[in-house]
Amino acid sequence: MCGIIGYVGDRGAVQILLEGLTRLEYRGYDSAGIATVMNTGFQVVRRVGRVSNLAHTVNELHLGGHTGIGHTRWATHGAVSEKNAHPQQSTHGLFNIVHNGVIENYIPIKSFLLKHGFKFSSDTDTEVLCNLIEYHYNKEKDRENRFVKSVQKALFHVRGTYGLAVLCKECPEELVVARKSSPLLIGIGDNEIFVASDASAIVQHTRSVVYLNDGEVAHLTKDDFSIITLGNDNVHAVTCELDWQVEDTDKGPYEHFMLKEIFEQPVALENAMRGRFSDDYSTARFGGLRMSAHELRQVDRILLCACGSAWIACLEAEYLIERYARIPVEVEYSSEFRYRNAPLDKNTLVFIISQSGETIDSLAALQEAKRKGFRTLAITNVIGSSIARESEGGIYQHSGPEIGVASTKSFTAQICVAAMLALYFGRIRDMSFDDGIRFVEALRMLPDAVKKTLSQSDNIKKIAEKYAEYTDMLFLGRQSLFPIALEGALKLKEISYIHSEGYPAAEMKHGPIALISEKCPCMFLATQEHILQKNISNIQEVRSRHAPVIAVVADGHESMRDMVDDLIVVPDVHPALQPIIATIPVQLLAYYIAKSRGCDIDKPRNLAKSVTVE
Ligand code: F6R
């Protein structure tokens, strides 16, 4: 949600900033801007719309400079307009700033600054912060560290969240950056330093990075950097290596990142499982849980918190852990958990699932659980992300970067990790050795089964084209396929803008059936043998009300072709893994429907990857 890039070095900053912004565009795409600073002063360009608009103007103007900052915006304060785009400049032109997050107390600060003669030309909280920095700069006595001190002092008075990068007209070879609850990392190159809100923006230049922690302010020059806290303590920086390759952040031969990421699922699942089975293949093992089997046996309840698709993955985890480990599980939206003050007993383990590891509601839920003294674990994809660092232990998905705004390979990897957890928890409780072996065998065959399902993409594309013009759609499934009905509806609505709902197939009779007509296709996820007849009854109910029906069934049930309009037959796998297989057709259907409708699939309207505002 909003992207930041910054550069200080010997190379021309402009192309590095534009390239970084293009890679960050999935974080926000309302408007974009860059600023560079030279001995002669600032050069600033901002444009509403995509980075390509900005690049066009920047290239025409031949901007120069070796130090600069850039931003792609997802509006929070103020309408989408050029004046509200970042960078924002201070009243007397001494500073330019790019900022992710929200300054909550910007109104009293603005009143204070107005009284001191500052002027405002935008509706943003960011401009207020920029002017506050200028205010402190003018008062700062420590001439040597004036730039960094003024940012530090301004932030001391700020309530809210920020990842930010600041340029100062009087220090054209320096950058100051800071973070609180909004990710920021420093990339260390050879005589050049980068800053970004997301590793994808700089991985082509360096893989050596330092993640800033909350409340830290960093002062960067091309060959050095230092970090202090808001309380003025020096910070010893820990450098780590990114595990991403540059190619991971390119589309390759695919038209969209979403399609690429759908097709990456066999590999993503292999990566989620790699090295995570015991030597006798009867259970899973995880290096990062930091809880012994003995401690885990004391857990008598698990609370799972997440947002969006990750929340749906939690619902799957609930089915898996309750069925195979027999531990009661509850699932909460992170944003609800945080403010609900739910009573939890002391042996509850709180688990957060978040692809980005930066979703602010999930981070806040984690912090709330820690504050109350609960053990906390997390499943995340991004190494070094805030949630990964703040939870006591956790499991990395190892899905590789997910750039498409709609989550795909992350979702199935999260369910795969949940299945392995269910196996692990089950095996330290009552699951037998034989059942463990069968579970592991099924998991090891999963990537191939996903590959086979993906090989049906041409068939699913044809089906999708038939349904592209409808305005409503229902997704129905029972038991562990009910969450996949929710996921199908979420994917379809977010990328194709078709109204869609996911429901338990039997529950459909208790309300949604009122929507059923020839204008409302229903997609049934019906791969479970033991409840197939029940699903068939529900299919008959909607067919008798003239709804077109698409059904997903397991191998061996091709005869259902006569009963429905369109049939998708997928491999028959272990019951625990059927949800992962059933996810592939709903992803492909949503993708091809959106493509038929000419939608901007990787950047759906109003959405952005990684939601870092509440
Ligand atoms: C839907 C989607 C979102 C995310 C949600 C949580 O396709 O991508 O619903 O799942 O914003 O994001 P993370 O997992 O990064 O916390």
Side-chain angles (χ1 to χ4, degrees):
M1 184 146 274
C2 299
I4 286 179
I5 170 101
Y7 176 79
V8 51
D10 290 329
R11 291 195 273 164
V14 172
Q15 286 316 315
I16 292 168
L17 298 176
L18 285 177
E19 211 179 285
L21 288 182
T22 307
R23 289 182 186 273
L24 283 175
E25 205 173 17
Y26 71 117
R27 296 288 190 180
Y29 28 88
D30 292 340
S31 53
I34 64 170
T36 59
V37 60
M38 296 184 283
N39 291 330
T40 49
F42 288 120
Q43 294 192 311
V44 185
V45 181
R46 300 179 295 179
R47 284 291 174 272
V48 168
R50 297 294 162 91
V51 173
S52 52
N53 281 0
L54 174 77
H56 186 73
T57 317
V58 166
N59 291 332
E60 271 182 352
L61 294 174
H62 302 292
L63 255 58
H66 301 282
T67 308
I69 53 179
H71 191 258
T72 61
R73 180 168 185 249
W74 186 91
T76 54
H77 271 72
V80 177
S81 62
E82 206 162 294
K83 69 170 186 174
N84 289 337
H86 299 201
Q88 288 284 321
Q89 186 154 315
S90 59
T91 302
H92 307 99
L94 278 179
F95 292 95
N96 263 282
I97 182 172
V98 290
H99 165 225
N100 290 351
V102 176
I103 305 301
E104 287 168 5
N105 58 338
Y106 77 101
I107 295 175
I109 297 176
K110 189 170 180 176
S111 313
F112 170 84
L113 291 168
L114 282 167
K115 282 187 207 133
H116 286 79
F118 285 86
K119 300 217 167 10
F120 294 86
S121 54
S122 80
D123 311 317
T124 65
D125 51 343
T126 303
E127 189 185 15
V128 175
L129 178 56
C130 195
N131 277 327
L132 189 63
I133 293 169
E134 193 175 85
Y135 169 83
H136 283 286
Y137 188 81
N138 291 335
K139 289 182 41 175
E140 183 56 53
K141 297 206 172 63
D142 178 354
R143 293 283 140 173
E144 205 183 322
N145 301 303
R146 200 174 173 198
F147 181 14
V148 65
K149 288 275 174 187
S150 58
V151 176
Q152 185 196 32
K153 286 189 177 157
L155 292 176
F156 204 76
H157 296 283
V158 152
R159 215 177 48 235
T161 58
Y162 48 80
L164 55 88
V166 192
L167 289 181
C168 177
K169 190 175 166 185
E170 295 182 347
C171 314
E173 291 173 5
E174 297 170 34
L175 263 178
V176 172
V177 302
R179 87 156 255 172
K180 185 175 168 220
S181 300
S182 192
L184 213 61
L185 55 116
I186 298 167
I188 302 151
D190 203 5
N191 262 335
E192 54 188 3
I193 290 196
F194 306 82
V195 62
S197 52
D198 180 331
S200 63
I202 58 170
V203 69
Q204 67 274 35
H205 302 297
T206 178
R207 292 173 59 199
S208 191
V209 299
V210 173
Y211 291 96
L212 272 195
N213 292 307
D214 276 354
E216 290 180 354
V217 184
H219 182 216
L220 319 176
T221 60
K222 69 176 183 179
D223 46 18
D224 198 12
F225 69 95
S226 56
I227 305 178
I228 50 170
T229 63
L230 290 184
N232 216 20
D233 293 325
N234 291 323
V235 174
H236 172 69
V238 181
T239 308
C240 43
E241 287 295 300
L242 290 173
D243 68 341
W244 292 8
Q245 309 297 330
V246 187
E247 310 82 70
D248 292 342
T249 58
D250 287 330
K251 275 201 283 244
Y254 294 93
E255 194 177 343
H256 296 99
F257 279 110
M258 183 177 175
L259 192 64
K260 175 182 181 230
E261 287 156 8
I262 289 174
F263 275 88
E264 279 174 350
Q265 288 176 111
V267 175
L269 291 165
E270 260 164 31
N271 289 341
M273 291 188 273
R274 180 160 300 120
R276 285 183 169 159
F277 294 123
S278 65
D279 294 336
D280 65 3
Y281 291 110
S282 71
T283 188
R285 61 175 176 207
F286 299 100
L289 286 184
R290 300 209 186 103
M291 281 177 84
S292 66
H294 177 72
E295 286 172 301
L296 285 166
R297 275 195 71 93
Q298 311 306 312
V299 170
D300 50 26
R301 191 158 168 250
I302 293 177
L303 177 75
L304 296 166
C305 288
C307 307
S309 285
W311 176 83
I312 297 173
C314 290
L315 293 182
E316 278 309 341
E318 179 180 17
Y319 280 99
L320 286 160
I321 295 170
E322 290 195 339
R323 175 164 178 186
Y324 295 101
R326 311 297 300 160
I327 306 172
V329 175
E330 258 182 79
V331 177
E332 284 256 25
Y333 286 111
S334 301
S335 52
E336 291 298 311
F337 168 72
R338 184 183 177 189
Y339 295 108
R340 199 162 79 88
N341 200 23
L344 299 176
D345 41 53
K346 68 177 184 342
N347 292 330
T348 301
L349 175 64
V350 178
F351 231 114
I352 307 288
I353 302 188
S354 172
Q355 184 282 128
S356 61
E358 299 293 349
T359 300
I360 194 122
D361 287 325
S362 293
L363 180 59
L366 170 68
Q367 288 163 342
E368 175 70 5
K370 279 173 70 179
R371 197 184 58 73
K372 288 182 166 164
F374 291 101
R375 301 296 296 256
T376 56
L377 296 175
I379 299 174
T380 56
N381 190 31
V382 180
I383 294 175
S385 57
S386 303
I387 291 174
R389 284 182 297 153
E390 286 205 25
S391 54
E392 283 166 66
I395 304 169
Y396 282 118
Q397 304 171 203
H398 296 306
S399 314
E402 191 176 67
I403 311 279
V405 165
S407 166
T408 52
K409 61 176 178 173
S410 274
F411 177 72
T412 47
Q414 285 161 354
I415 300 176
C416 179
V417 169
M420 287 190 290
L421 266 178
L423 167 67
Y424 176 65
F425 288 160
R427 289 284 292 127
I428 57 177
R429 287 181 155 78
D430 301 325
M431 190 192 284
S432 71
F433 178 82
D434 285 359
D435 286 345
I437 295 262
R438 270 193 287 278
F439 205 119
V440 172
E441 264 170 23
L443 278 164
R444 293 170 72 186
M445 285 175 345
L446 179 66
D448 265 348
V450 169
K451 236 182 249 168
K452 277 196 194 115
T453 315
L454 286 167
S455 70
Q456 298 210 39
S457 77
D458 286 346
N459 173 36
I460 297 173
K461 181 173 182 224
K462 280 194 202 113
I463 297 173
E465 282 161 0
K466 275 172 64 179
Y467 293 93
E469 296 312 319
Y470 283 87
T471 53
D472 298 280
M473 193 155 171
L474 273 188
F475 289 79
L476 301 158
R478 285 168 176 260
Q479 305 283 295
S480 62
L481 293 194
F482 157 54
I484 307 308
L486 293 176
E487 176 65 0
L490 181 63
K491 286 289 93 91
L492 186 67
K493 71 176 75 135
E494 66 183 337
I495 61 167
S496 77
Y497 319 135
I498 293 176
H499 165 247
S500 46
E501 290 190 39
Y503 249 82
E507 188 64 19
M508 179 263 307
K509 299 188 288 295
H510 300 281
I513 198 164
L515 297 173
I516 304 286
S517 74
E518 72 285 1
K519 293 189 180 146
C520 182
C522 294
M523 183 163 194
F524 277 85
L525 305 169
T527 59
Q528 304 116 312
E529 179 74 43
H530 70 294
I531 44 176
L532 184 62
Q533 282 311 318
K534 301 286 173 202
N535 273 316
I536 290 176
S537 305
N538 299 134
I539 289 175
Q540 302 299 3
E541 284 156 14
V542 302
R543 276 185 63 82
S544 58
R545 288 159 181 89
H546 314 293
V549 172
I550 311 166
V552 180
V553 296
D555 268 339
H557 295 288
E558 289 78 0
S559 60
M560 284 204 39
R561 207 171 290 282
D562 301 335
M563 219 179 281
V564 298
D565 296 270
D566 292 287
L567 191 72
I568 300 167
V569 184
V570 297
D572 194 11
V573 296
H574 189 289
L577 307 178
Q578 287 177 356
I580 295 179
I581 297 297
T583 301
I584 311 300
V586 302
Q587 292 172 340
L588 287 170
L589 189 90
Y591 173 82
Y592 285 119
I593 287 182
K595 186 163 149 48
S596 271
R597 292 164 70 93
C599 297
D600 193 347
I601 293 175
D602 284 334
K603 299 186 186 84
R605 72 181 176 214
N606 303 337
L607 293 171
K609 195 85 177 160
S610 181
V611 181
T612 51
V613 291
E614 277 192 62

